[in-house]
Amino acid sequence: MNNMKYNSLWMMTAIFIASFCAIVLRRPDIIFNAQPWAEDGVVWMQFIHNEGFFSTIFAPQNGYYQTISKLVFGFALQFGLENAPLIANVCAISLRCFMIMFLLSSRFKSINIWYRFAMVVYFIAMPNIDEGYVNITNAHWYLSVYLMMVLVAEKPETKLGDAHDFLVLFIAALSGPFIVFVAPCLFIKRCYERGGIWNAIKGVNSFDIIAAALTLIQVVAILTTSSENRTAAPLGASFSLLSEIINYRVVVGTFFDNVKTQIIDANSALNIISFIVLTIILVIMFVKGSKNMRVCMLFPVIMISFSLARPMMANEAEQWPVFLYPGAGQRYFIVTNIFFFAFALYVIHRLTGGKSLSALLLSALLVPLYASYFNIYPLKDMAYKDQVMKYHELNKGESIMIHINPGWSFSLIKK
């Protein structure tokens, strides 16, 4: 099975279509009743429509560049206001499908195909991703995972493969702050590959140079603009609360619906013990794991550390306690939960000697769980297209307020 050729056009097309359908099946309204979600409308649609694409493309948003959202809505709005959310959602879904295709390609042939299939099934059916499922606004979280996949994949053997890697680098690095977290992972990987820090520097290539330049761009944006839109609310941090958050949202939240497991955060002693045990396991696996595994482990640790250090969970109340509310801040745990599941697969791989049966058994055991939270409730119908029809009835220069989920609104000026 490992030797099968997954790069043929028909196979990749079949994987794309199957993945696309599965993602849509979880919440069909993302296609059949597409509506803007939060920043989809309030930031990207409003700014691009009212001020023009080129007046916004080079400006940071919320402290960093978010190129993917601007590019997608700049493209989507060419199909009209009424169709823009649908086009944007199709792009967001397609991004996830491309990630799945990449994982199942020969670039990961060193990993048993059954482990990769288990990873794909989890990626499609994972819990606790209701928040804005699926939209382009949250695409930068997935792009960071995509870029990490490029880092640990085998080197491309064709120019098309090279182009793919550079495209992912450009889009991911300029679509969120996470290139700052990927950069140290890339440097450590180069040290492993080239035999030390000095050799890593001497062997620098075009990918490394571009990654460094793009990292610098985002760092400058973060340092000069990030405080403009950040809340000044206190964190309310404590070691006990940290252990509760990690146990509830990462350890348990990777596999179970947080709504059904809220009781987990009630036992502080158990959470502290669980956190300590998890830390010990992570340290052991980091020391004994493969070089790629160490690189992969570093990224989610940095990610969750910065997410908890500077979250946007409350404007006035303490922020960390809000993480214990089911559904709150789900975006902060998308990456960590994906990596934690991959880590669980790696542990199983080490314990069983890499036998395919273990991956199949884990997937079989998780099927009932997947089924229990697979369906995601649709967004409230805000009659978006009816609102757009009223926009078309306006005279040039007049404006209208468009109301969207989750209770936000934005102004459109008639062109």
mmCIF file with all atom_site columns, all heavy atoms in Angstrom, residues 11 20 22 29 55 66 111 118 123 145 201 231-232 246 256 301 318 323 369 395 405:
data_model
loop_
_atom_site.group_PDB
_atom_site.id
_atom_site.type_symbol
_atom_site.label_atom_id
_atom_site.label_alt_id
_atom_site.label_comp_id
_atom_site.label_asym_id
_atom_site.label_entity_id
_atom_site.label_seq_id
_atom_site.pdbx_PDB_ins_code
_atom_site.Cartn_x
_atom_site.Cartn_y
_atom_site.Cartn_z
_atom_site.occupancy
_atom_site.B_iso_or_equiv
_atom_site.pdbx_formal_charge
_atom_site.auth_seq_id
_atom_site.auth_comp_id
_atom_site.auth_asym_id
_atom_site.auth_atom_id
_atom_site.pdbx_PDB_model_num
ATOM 1   N N   . MET A 1 11  ? -6.079  10.427 -9.328 1.00 0.00 ? 11  MET A N   1
ATOM 2   C CA  . MET A 1 11  ? -6.138  10.117 -7.899 1.00 0.00 ? 11  MET A CA  1
ATOM 3   C C   . MET A 1 11  ? -6.215  11.391 -7.068 1.00 0.00 ? 11  MET A C   1
ATOM 4   O O   . MET A 1 11  ? -7.013  11.494 -6.130 1.00 0.00 ? 11  MET A O   1
ATOM 5   C CB  . MET A 1 11  ? -4.914  9.295  -7.487 1.00 0.00 ? 11  MET A CB  1
ATOM 6   C CG  . MET A 1 11  ? -4.895  8.907  -6.014 1.00 0.00 ? 11  MET A CG  1
ATOM 7   S SD  . MET A 1 11  ? -6.254  7.832  -5.546 1.00 0.00 ? 11  MET A SD  1
ATOM 8   C CE  . MET A 1 11  ? -5.635  6.253  -6.200 1.00 0.00 ? 11  MET A CE  1
ATOM 9   N N   . PHE A 1 20  ? -13.589 17.573 -0.380 1.00 0.00 ? 20  PHE A N   1
ATOM 10  C CA  . PHE A 1 20  ? -14.480 18.735 -0.508 1.00 0.00 ? 20  PHE A CA  1
ATOM 11  C C   . PHE A 1 20  ? -15.887 18.365 -0.054 1.00 0.00 ? 20  PHE A C   1
ATOM 12  O O   . PHE A 1 20  ? -16.513 19.074 0.744  1.00 0.00 ? 20  PHE A O   1
ATOM 13  C CB  . PHE A 1 20  ? -14.488 19.221 -1.956 1.00 0.00 ? 20  PHE A CB  1
ATOM 14  C CG  . PHE A 1 20  ? -15.076 20.593 -2.145 1.00 0.00 ? 20  PHE A CG  1
ATOM 15  C CD1 . PHE A 1 20  ? -14.251 21.694 -2.293 1.00 0.00 ? 20  PHE A CD1 1
ATOM 16  C CD2 . PHE A 1 20  ? -16.455 20.785 -2.182 1.00 0.00 ? 20  PHE A CD2 1
ATOM 17  C CE1 . PHE A 1 20  ? -14.793 22.964 -2.469 1.00 0.00 ? 20  PHE A CE1 1
ATOM 18  C CE2 . PHE A 1 20  ? -17.000 22.042 -2.356 1.00 0.00 ? 20  PHE A CE2 1
ATOM 19  C CZ  . PHE A 1 20  ? -16.164 23.146 -2.498 1.00 0.00 ? 20  PHE A CZ  1
ATOM 20  N N   . ALA A 1 22  ? -16.846 15.886 1.870  1.00 0.00 ? 22  ALA A N   1
ATOM 21  C CA  . ALA A 1 22  ? -16.886 15.548 3.297  1.00 0.00 ? 22  ALA A CA  1
ATOM 22  C C   . ALA A 1 22  ? -16.902 16.807 4.157  1.00 0.00 ? 22  ALA A C   1
ATOM 23  O O   . ALA A 1 22  ? -17.633 16.884 5.156  1.00 0.00 ? 22  ALA A O   1
ATOM 24  C CB  . ALA A 1 22  ? -15.692 14.672 3.661  1.00 0.00 ? 22  ALA A CB  1
ATOM 25  N N   . ASP A 1 29  ? -24.610 24.435 4.750  1.00 0.00 ? 29  ASP A N   1
ATOM 26  C CA  . ASP A 1 29  ? -24.954 25.833 4.452  1.00 0.00 ? 29  ASP A CA  1
ATOM 27  C C   . ASP A 1 29  ? -23.747 26.660 4.025  1.00 0.00 ? 29  ASP A C   1
ATOM 28  O O   . ASP A 1 29  ? -23.917 27.755 3.484  1.00 0.00 ? 29  ASP A O   1
ATOM 29  C CB  . ASP A 1 29  ? -25.644 26.485 5.654  1.00 0.00 ? 29  ASP A CB  1
ATOM 30  C CG  . ASP A 1 29  ? -24.716 26.665 6.839  1.00 0.00 ? 29  ASP A CG  1
ATOM 31  O OD1 . ASP A 1 29  ? -24.199 25.654 7.352  1.00 0.00 ? 29  ASP A OD1 1
ATOM 32  O OD2 . ASP A 1 29  ? -24.495 27.826 7.262  1.00 0.00 ? 29  ASP A OD2 1
ATOM 33  N N   . SER A 1 55  ? -6.017  49.720 -2.199 1.00 0.00 ? 55  SER A N   1
ATOM 34  C CA  . SER A 1 55  ? -5.838  50.622 -1.061 1.00 0.00 ? 55  SER A CA  1
ATOM 35  C C   . SER A 1 55  ? -5.757  49.871 0.256  1.00 0.00 ? 55  SER A C   1
ATOM 36  O O   . SER A 1 55  ? -5.404  50.443 1.285  1.00 0.00 ? 55  SER A O   1
ATOM 37  C CB  . SER A 1 55  ? -6.993  51.631 -1.002 1.00 0.00 ? 55  SER A CB  1
ATOM 38  O OG  . SER A 1 55  ? -8.220  50.963 -0.749 1.00 0.00 ? 55  SER A OG  1
ATOM 39  N N   . GLN A 1 66  ? -2.626  40.005 6.506  1.00 0.00 ? 66  GLN A N   1
ATOM 40  C CA  . GLN A 1 66  ? -3.567  38.901 6.304  1.00 0.00 ? 66  GLN A CA  1
ATOM 41  C C   . GLN A 1 66  ? -3.921  38.813 4.816  1.00 0.00 ? 66  GLN A C   1
ATOM 42  O O   . GLN A 1 66  ? -5.046  39.029 4.403  1.00 0.00 ? 66  GLN A O   1
ATOM 43  C CB  . GLN A 1 66  ? -4.817  39.100 7.162  1.00 0.00 ? 66  GLN A CB  1
ATOM 44  C CG  . GLN A 1 66  ? -4.510  39.189 8.652  1.00 0.00 ? 66  GLN A CG  1
ATOM 45  C CD  . GLN A 1 66  ? -5.744  39.119 9.519  1.00 0.00 ? 66  GLN A CD  1
ATOM 46  O OE1 . GLN A 1 66  ? -6.636  38.323 9.272  1.00 0.00 ? 66  GLN A OE1 1
ATOM 47  N NE2 . GLN A 1 66  ? -5.795  39.949 10.542 1.00 0.00 ? 66  GLN A NE2 1
ATOM 48  N N   . ILE A 1 111 ? 5.998   7.926  5.600  1.00 0.00 ? 111 ILE A N   1
ATOM 49  C CA  . ILE A 1 111 ? 5.018   7.665  6.658  1.00 0.00 ? 111 ILE A CA  1
ATOM 50  C C   . ILE A 1 111 ? 4.008   6.655  6.148  1.00 0.00 ? 111 ILE A C   1
ATOM 51  O O   . ILE A 1 111 ? 3.459   6.816  5.056  1.00 0.00 ? 111 ILE A O   1
ATOM 52  C CB  . ILE A 1 111 ? 4.298   8.958  7.082  1.00 0.00 ? 111 ILE A CB  1
ATOM 53  C CG1 . ILE A 1 111 ? 5.306   9.993  7.581  1.00 0.00 ? 111 ILE A CG1 1
ATOM 54  C CG2 . ILE A 1 111 ? 3.260   8.663  8.161  1.00 0.00 ? 111 ILE A CG2 1
ATOM 55  C CD1 . ILE A 1 111 ? 4.685   11.335 7.927  1.00 0.00 ? 111 ILE A CD1 1
ATOM 56  N N   . ALA A 1 118 ? -5.498  8.009  8.739  1.00 0.00 ? 118 ALA A N   1
ATOM 57  C CA  . ALA A 1 118 ? -6.049  8.313  10.063 1.00 0.00 ? 118 ALA A CA  1
ATOM 58  C C   . ALA A 1 118 ? -5.971  9.812  10.339 1.00 0.00 ? 118 ALA A C   1
ATOM 59  O O   . ALA A 1 118 ? -6.910  10.414 10.889 1.00 0.00 ? 118 ALA A O   1
ATOM 60  C CB  . ALA A 1 118 ? -5.288  7.533  11.137 1.00 0.00 ? 118 ALA A CB  1
ATOM 61  N N   . PHE A 1 123 ? -8.564  15.168 10.493 1.00 0.00 ? 123 PHE A N   1
ATOM 62  C CA  . PHE A 1 123 ? -8.528  16.545 9.993  1.00 0.00 ? 123 PHE A CA  1
ATOM 63  C C   . PHE A 1 123 ? -9.901  16.976 9.496  1.00 0.00 ? 123 PHE A C   1
ATOM 64  O O   . PHE A 1 123 ? -10.331 18.115 9.708  1.00 0.00 ? 123 PHE A O   1
ATOM 65  C CB  . PHE A 1 123 ? -7.490  16.646 8.875  1.00 0.00 ? 123 PHE A CB  1
ATOM 66  C CG  . PHE A 1 123 ? -7.337  18.028 8.301  1.00 0.00 ? 123 PHE A CG  1
ATOM 67  C CD1 . PHE A 1 123 ? -6.669  19.015 9.014  1.00 0.00 ? 123 PHE A CD1 1
ATOM 68  C CD2 . PHE A 1 123 ? -7.850  18.334 7.056  1.00 0.00 ? 123 PHE A CD2 1
ATOM 69  C CE1 . PHE A 1 123 ? -6.527  20.290 8.484  1.00 0.00 ? 123 PHE A CE1 1
ATOM 70  C CE2 . PHE A 1 123 ? -7.706  19.610 6.517  1.00 0.00 ? 123 PHE A CE2 1
ATOM 71  C CZ  . PHE A 1 123 ? -7.046  20.589 7.234  1.00 0.00 ? 123 PHE A CZ  1
ATOM 72  N N   . VAL A 1 145 ? -0.255  25.306 9.510  1.00 0.00 ? 145 VAL A N   1
ATOM 73  C CA  . VAL A 1 145 ? -0.062  23.852 9.511  1.00 0.00 ? 145 VAL A CA  1
ATOM 74  C C   . VAL A 1 145 ? 0.464   23.399 8.152  1.00 0.00 ? 145 VAL A C   1
ATOM 75  O O   . VAL A 1 145 ? 1.367   22.551 8.072  1.00 0.00 ? 145 VAL A O   1
ATOM 76  C CB  . VAL A 1 145 ? -1.387  23.133 9.831  1.00 0.00 ? 145 VAL A CB  1
ATOM 77  C CG1 . VAL A 1 145 ? -1.199  21.616 9.775  1.00 0.00 ? 145 VAL A CG1 1
ATOM 78  C CG2 . VAL A 1 145 ? -1.914  23.544 11.202 1.00 0.00 ? 145 VAL A CG2 1
ATOM 79  N N   . ILE A 1 201 ? 23.849  28.150 8.466  1.00 0.00 ? 201 ILE A N   1
ATOM 80  C CA  . ILE A 1 201 ? 23.963  29.514 7.940  1.00 0.00 ? 201 ILE A CA  1
ATOM 81  C C   . ILE A 1 201 ? 24.688  29.519 6.601  1.00 0.00 ? 201 ILE A C   1
ATOM 82  O O   . ILE A 1 201 ? 24.274  30.196 5.652  1.00 0.00 ? 201 ILE A O   1
ATOM 83  C CB  . ILE A 1 201 ? 24.685  30.423 8.955  1.00 0.00 ? 201 ILE A CB  1
ATOM 84  C CG1 . ILE A 1 201 ? 23.856  30.523 10.244 1.00 0.00 ? 201 ILE A CG1 1
ATOM 85  C CG2 . ILE A 1 201 ? 24.932  31.808 8.356  1.00 0.00 ? 201 ILE A CG2 1
ATOM 86  C CD1 . ILE A 1 201 ? 24.562  31.249 11.368 1.00 0.00 ? 201 ILE A CD1 1
ATOM 87  N N   . THR A 1 231 ? -6.833  43.927 23.150 1.00 0.00 ? 231 THR A N   1
ATOM 88  C CA  . THR A 1 231 ? -7.528  44.248 24.380 1.00 0.00 ? 231 THR A CA  1
ATOM 89  C C   . THR A 1 231 ? -6.529  44.450 25.519 1.00 0.00 ? 231 THR A C   1
ATOM 90  O O   . THR A 1 231 ? -5.459  43.835 25.546 1.00 0.00 ? 231 THR A O   1
ATOM 91  C CB  . THR A 1 231 ? -8.512  43.131 24.754 1.00 0.00 ? 231 THR A CB  1
ATOM 92  O OG1 . THR A 1 231 ? -9.138  43.464 25.999 1.00 0.00 ? 231 THR A OG1 1
ATOM 93  C CG2 . THR A 1 231 ? -7.814  41.797 24.907 1.00 0.00 ? 231 THR A CG2 1
ATOM 94  N N   . ALA A 1 232 ? -6.900  45.316 26.459 1.00 0.00 ? 232 ALA A N   1
ATOM 95  C CA  . ALA A 1 232 ? -6.061  45.560 27.630 1.00 0.00 ? 232 ALA A CA  1
ATOM 96  C C   . ALA A 1 232 ? -6.550  44.753 28.832 1.00 0.00 ? 232 ALA A C   1
ATOM 97  O O   . ALA A 1 232 ? -6.059  44.945 29.952 1.00 0.00 ? 232 ALA A O   1
ATOM 98  C CB  . ALA A 1 232 ? -6.060  47.044 27.971 1.00 0.00 ? 232 ALA A CB  1
ATOM 99  N N   . ILE A 1 246 ? -5.203  23.407 29.270 1.00 0.00 ? 246 ILE A N   1
ATOM 100 C CA  . ILE A 1 246 ? -4.503  22.433 28.432 1.00 0.00 ? 246 ILE A CA  1
ATOM 101 C C   . ILE A 1 246 ? -5.210  21.086 28.462 1.00 0.00 ? 246 ILE A C   1
ATOM 102 O O   . ILE A 1 246 ? -5.391  20.434 27.423 1.00 0.00 ? 246 ILE A O   1
ATOM 103 C CB  . ILE A 1 246 ? -3.037  22.281 28.884 1.00 0.00 ? 246 ILE A CB  1
ATOM 104 C CG1 . ILE A 1 246 ? -2.282  23.604 28.711 1.00 0.00 ? 246 ILE A CG1 1
ATOM 105 C CG2 . ILE A 1 246 ? -2.345  21.169 28.101 1.00 0.00 ? 246 ILE A CG2 1
ATOM 106 C CD1 . ILE A 1 246 ? -2.250  24.130 27.298 1.00 0.00 ? 246 ILE A CD1 1
ATOM 107 N N   . PHE A 1 256 ? -12.685 14.860 22.041 1.00 0.00 ? 256 PHE A N   1
ATOM 108 C CA  . PHE A 1 256 ? -14.070 14.933 22.477 1.00 0.00 ? 256 PHE A CA  1
ATOM 109 C C   . PHE A 1 256 ? -14.641 16.334 22.304 1.00 0.00 ? 256 PHE A C   1
ATOM 110 O O   . PHE A 1 256 ? -13.913 17.327 22.348 1.00 0.00 ? 256 PHE A O   1
ATOM 111 C CB  . PHE A 1 256 ? -14.195 14.524 23.953 1.00 0.00 ? 256 PHE A CB  1
ATOM 112 C CG  . PHE A 1 256 ? -13.772 13.115 24.245 1.00 0.00 ? 256 PHE A CG  1
ATOM 113 C CD1 . PHE A 1 256 ? -12.465 12.826 24.593 1.00 0.00 ? 256 PHE A CD1 1
ATOM 114 C CD2 . PHE A 1 256 ? -14.683 12.071 24.155 1.00 0.00 ? 256 PHE A CD2 1
ATOM 115 C CE1 . PHE A 1 256 ? -12.063 11.529 24.869 1.00 0.00 ? 256 PHE A CE1 1
ATOM 116 C CE2 . PHE A 1 256 ? -14.296 10.765 24.423 1.00 0.00 ? 256 PHE A CE2 1
ATOM 117 C CZ  . PHE A 1 256 ? -12.988 10.486 24.776 1.00 0.00 ? 256 PHE A CZ  1
ATOM 118 N N   . VAL A 1 301 ? 3.896   24.049 20.581 1.00 0.00 ? 301 VAL A N   1
ATOM 119 C CA  . VAL A 1 301 ? 4.239   24.558 21.913 1.00 0.00 ? 301 VAL A CA  1
ATOM 120 C C   . VAL A 1 301 ? 4.421   26.072 21.860 1.00 0.00 ? 301 VAL A C   1
ATOM 121 O O   . VAL A 1 301 ? 3.912   26.812 22.711 1.00 0.00 ? 301 VAL A O   1
ATOM 122 C CB  . VAL A 1 301 ? 5.508   23.869 22.455 1.00 0.00 ? 301 VAL A CB  1
ATOM 123 C CG1 . VAL A 1 301 ? 5.993   24.566 23.730 1.00 0.00 ? 301 VAL A CG1 1
ATOM 124 C CG2 . VAL A 1 301 ? 5.240   22.398 22.732 1.00 0.00 ? 301 VAL A CG2 1
ATOM 125 N N   . GLU A 1 318 ? -11.283 38.996 32.976 1.00 0.00 ? 318 GLU A N   1
ATOM 126 C CA  . GLU A 1 318 ? -10.080 38.182 32.836 1.00 0.00 ? 318 GLU A CA  1
ATOM 127 C C   . GLU A 1 318 ? -10.255 37.200 31.688 1.00 0.00 ? 318 GLU A C   1
ATOM 128 O O   . GLU A 1 318 ? -11.314 36.588 31.522 1.00 0.00 ? 318 GLU A O   1
ATOM 129 C CB  . GLU A 1 318 ? -9.806  37.438 34.145 1.00 0.00 ? 318 GLU A CB  1
ATOM 130 C CG  . GLU A 1 318 ? -9.412  38.353 35.289 1.00 0.00 ? 318 GLU A CG  1
ATOM 131 C CD  . GLU A 1 318 ? -9.079  37.580 36.554 1.00 0.00 ? 318 GLU A CD  1
ATOM 132 O OE1 . GLU A 1 318 ? -9.514  36.407 36.664 1.00 0.00 ? 318 GLU A OE1 1
ATOM 133 O OE2 . GLU A 1 318 ? -8.379  38.144 37.423 1.00 0.00 ? 318 GLU A OE2 1
ATOM 134 N N   . PHE A 1 323 ? -11.561 30.643 28.406 1.00 0.00 ? 323 PHE A N   1
ATOM 135 C CA  . PHE A 1 323 ? -11.174 29.450 27.651 1.00 0.00 ? 323 PHE A CA  1
ATOM 136 C C   . PHE A 1 323 ? -11.883 28.199 28.144 1.00 0.00 ? 323 PHE A C   1
ATOM 137 O O   . PHE A 1 323 ? -11.919 27.188 27.437 1.00 0.00 ? 323 PHE A O   1
ATOM 138 C CB  . PHE A 1 323 ? -9.660  29.231 27.732 1.00 0.00 ? 323 PHE A CB  1
ATOM 139 C CG  . PHE A 1 323 ? -8.851  30.112 26.824 1.00 0.00 ? 323 PHE A CG  1
ATOM 140 C CD1 . PHE A 1 323 ? -7.922  31.005 27.344 1.00 0.00 ? 323 PHE A CD1 1
ATOM 141 C CD2 . PHE A 1 323 ? -9.005  30.041 25.452 1.00 0.00 ? 323 PHE A CD2 1
ATOM 142 C CE1 . PHE A 1 323 ? -7.166  31.811 26.509 1.00 0.00 ? 323 PHE A CE1 1
ATOM 143 C CE2 . PHE A 1 323 ? -8.254  30.853 24.600 1.00 0.00 ? 323 PHE A CE2 1
ATOM 144 C CZ  . PHE A 1 323 ? -7.344  31.742 25.132 1.00 0.00 ? 323 PHE A CZ  1
ATOM 145 N N   . LEU A 1 369 ? -17.078 8.502  17.959 1.00 0.00 ? 369 LEU A N   1
ATOM 146 C CA  . LEU A 1 369 ? -16.883 9.885  18.377 1.00 0.00 ? 369 LEU A CA  1
ATOM 147 C C   . LEU A 1 369 ? -17.079 10.838 17.206 1.00 0.00 ? 369 LEU A C   1
ATOM 148 O O   . LEU A 1 369 ? -17.762 11.856 17.312 1.00 0.00 ? 369 LEU A O   1
ATOM 149 C CB  . LEU A 1 369 ? -15.482 10.073 18.957 1.00 0.00 ? 369 LEU A CB  1
ATOM 150 C CG  . LEU A 1 369 ? -15.238 9.572  20.381 1.00 0.00 ? 369 LEU A CG  1
ATOM 151 C CD1 . LEU A 1 369 ? -13.793 9.821  20.777 1.00 0.00 ? 369 LEU A CD1 1
ATOM 152 C CD2 . LEU A 1 369 ? -16.175 10.241 21.353 1.00 0.00 ? 369 LEU A CD2 1
ATOM 153 N N   . ASN A 1 395 ? -29.381 54.463 -4.452 1.00 0.00 ? 395 ASN A N   1
ATOM 154 C CA  . ASN A 1 395 ? -28.786 55.377 -5.417 1.00 0.00 ? 395 ASN A CA  1
ATOM 155 C C   . ASN A 1 395 ? -27.282 55.448 -5.174 1.00 0.00 ? 395 ASN A C   1
ATOM 156 O O   . ASN A 1 395 ? -26.809 55.184 -4.059 1.00 0.00 ? 395 ASN A O   1
ATOM 157 C CB  . ASN A 1 395 ? -29.396 56.776 -5.278 1.00 0.00 ? 395 ASN A CB  1
ATOM 158 C CG  . ASN A 1 395 ? -30.865 56.795 -5.626 1.00 0.00 ? 395 ASN A CG  1
ATOM 159 O OD1 . ASN A 1 395 ? -31.291 56.160 -6.609 1.00 0.00 ? 395 ASN A OD1 1
ATOM 160 N ND2 . ASN A 1 395 ? -31.661 57.511 -4.836 1.00 0.00 ? 395 ASN A ND2 1
ATOM 161 N N   . ASN A 1 405 ? -23.500 37.173 10.792 1.00 0.00 ? 405 ASN A N   1
ATOM 162 C CA  . ASN A 1 405 ? -23.083 36.427 11.978 1.00 0.00 ? 405 ASN A CA  1
ATOM 163 C C   . ASN A 1 405 ? -21.652 36.812 12.350 1.00 0.00 ? 405 ASN A C   1
ATOM 164 O O   . ASN A 1 405 ? -20.853 37.141 11.463 1.00 0.00 ? 405 ASN A O   1
ATOM 165 C CB  . ASN A 1 405 ? -23.144 34.919 11.685 1.00 0.00 ? 405 ASN A CB  1
ATOM 166 C CG  . ASN A 1 405 ? -24.566 34.416 11.607 1.00 0.00 ? 405 ASN A CG  1
ATOM 167 O OD1 . ASN A 1 405 ? -25.269 34.381 12.596 1.00 0.00 ? 405 ASN A OD1 1
ATOM 168 N ND2 . ASN A 1 405 ? -25.000 34.019 10.414 1.00 0.00 ? 405 ASN A ND2 1
#
